[in-house]
Amino acid sequence: METINITTEFIKLDAFLKFCGAVGTGGEAKLRIAAGEVLVNGEACTMRGKKLRAGDTVRLDGQDYAVAQG
């Protein structure tokens, strides 16, 4: 699991996927989220504006990311 530090209270899911390098563009993030390919805390999430906070986990293509404050 890769830990990704954010410096704000939260980050939206689509922005997080770009920030951590899981996708190359915002358009790709939008499509992957809409297709139900992204898991947030173990459950499929189709809301690209989902607010992620420290302690949340994201999974895409078998790679896990942990959101941390820092």
Side-chain angles (χ1 to χ4, degrees):
M1 180 169 299
E2 186 175 344
T3 300
I4 306 296
N5 290 309
I6 61 171
T7 57
T8 55
E9 178 186 347
F10 65 86
I11 186 170
K12 292 184 179 179
L13 179 57
D14 58 350
F16 178 80
L17 293 175
K18 290 188 302 182
F19 181 69
C20 71
V23 297
T25 66
E28 181 184 354
K30 179 181 175 180
L31 292 172
R32 305 289 299 271
I33 293 166
E37 298 177 22
V38 181
L39 301 181
V40 176
N41 298 325
E43 296 183 12
C45 181
T46 56
M47 300 180 305
R48 61 182 231 238
K50 168 80 172 163
K51 293 178 180 178
L52 302 175
R53 292 180 165 79
D56 287 333
T57 60
V58 176
R59 182 179 185 90
L60 178 63
D61 293 336
Q63 175 66 46
D64 293 312
Y65 303 93
V67 181
Q69 192 71 39

